Amino acid sequence: MAERVGIVGMGLMGQAFIHNMRKSQFIIQGYDTEASRLDDLKEQGGHPVKTPAEAAKGMKLVITSLPNSTIVREAVLGKNGIAEGAEPGLIICDTTTSRPEDSQQLSKDLAERGIKFLDSAVSGTSTMAQAGDLIVIAGGSEADFEAAKPVFAGFSRAAYYMGPVGSGARTKLVINLILSGNRLALAEGLVLGEKMGLGLDNLLDVLKDGACSSKTMVDKGPKMLKADYSKQGQIKTALKDNRLMIEEGQKVGAPLFLTGVFSQILQAAYEKGYGEKDSVAFIEILRGIAGLEERIGIDNEPFGKH
């Protein structure tokens, strides 16, 4: 019999989870604040519901995929939240890039209600997620992790147990920190190459075949060249994540020089109205500083602060 899984939050990443889990024969019971996403779920053979509590009703496991840990807490413990519909023993897998301390507190509060919690961050863009090319990095009880692994296998290619609650979120911040550095270096290199008069298509081909090659170059290099800022991630989300990195670095006394600089570039991109553009739209800030034209993405949506 096909397993039934609840999901709360069906944005870019949540939709990718559903796409792959339906292919893996999971039955999805889902909730989102946007009616169009509920309609999409129904078209894919899932079961839309009216509240997070209903998404949890009768479930052994519920996935949350939401913008930040404040919204996660409200969706779980607020009125008509997941906790209201949960049966004892429910496992909540939070795939949000959350503040680690928020995940730890939420886990404690849920334990008092007999509900289990894994901070189950994922690494990969929404495009990678559609292809099932994600990894899960989870923190919590190892027994709960083992119980959740069949579900993780429905939408990812690998899942890693990182330790107690908060470990998944902390690992995701390290991954995103290094990824941000890769993207910033690529953007700087492409702007320098353009200023020096190099052919950028040829330059990107060389970079992808050189010692500096990375997944970022394959996934994001063409978007930077074409000013294609149709969103796989968003500037506003990248800015939120960078602030979490800096916060954690301050708490433990780790130097984050590059992260601090990148945060300022992301802030500038957000203030210029690129907040809901793809996360690599920040290259336009570098182009502007370099005296190059700042371009609009090929989706032809006007830039405007959101």
Side-chain angles (χ1 to χ4, degrees), residues 250-265:
Q250 290 171 339
K251 286 176 181 175
V252 301
L256 300 178
F257 300 117
L258 184 61
T259 305
V261 170
F262 191 47
S263 182
Q264 294 302 308
I265 296 170

Side-chain angles (χ1 to χ4, degrees), residues 256-279:
L256 300 178
F257 300 117
L258 184 61
T259 305
V261 170
F262 191 47
S263 182
Q264 294 302 308
I265 296 170
L266 289 171
Q267 182 70 49
Y270 181 84
E271 295 302 328
K272 291 208 72 171
Y274 302 173
E276 297 198 7
K277 296 291 180 181
D278 187 79
S279 55

Side-chain angles (χ1 to χ4, degrees), residues 13 66-69 95-100 121-124 169-180 183 232-249 256 259-260 262-263 266-267 279:
M13 197 62 75
L66 297 162
N68 58 57
S69 50
T95 65
T96 308
T97 302
S98 293
R99 177 178 286 105
V122 295
S123 180
R170 291 188 172 97
T171 303
K172 176 64 181 292
L173 291 179
V174 173
I175 291 171
N176 280 7
L177 184 153
I178 296 169
L179 181 61
S180 296
R183 291 176 178 177
Q232 298 171 342
Q234 297 181 44
I235 286 288
K236 65 181 183 182
T237 303
L239 179 58
K240 179 264 294 184
D241 292 352
N242 257 252
R243 288 172 173 168
L244 288 178
M245 295 168 201
I246 292 170
E247 182 181 308
E248 289 298 309
L256 300 178
T259 305
F262 191 47
S263 182
L266 289 171
Q267 182 70 49
S279 55

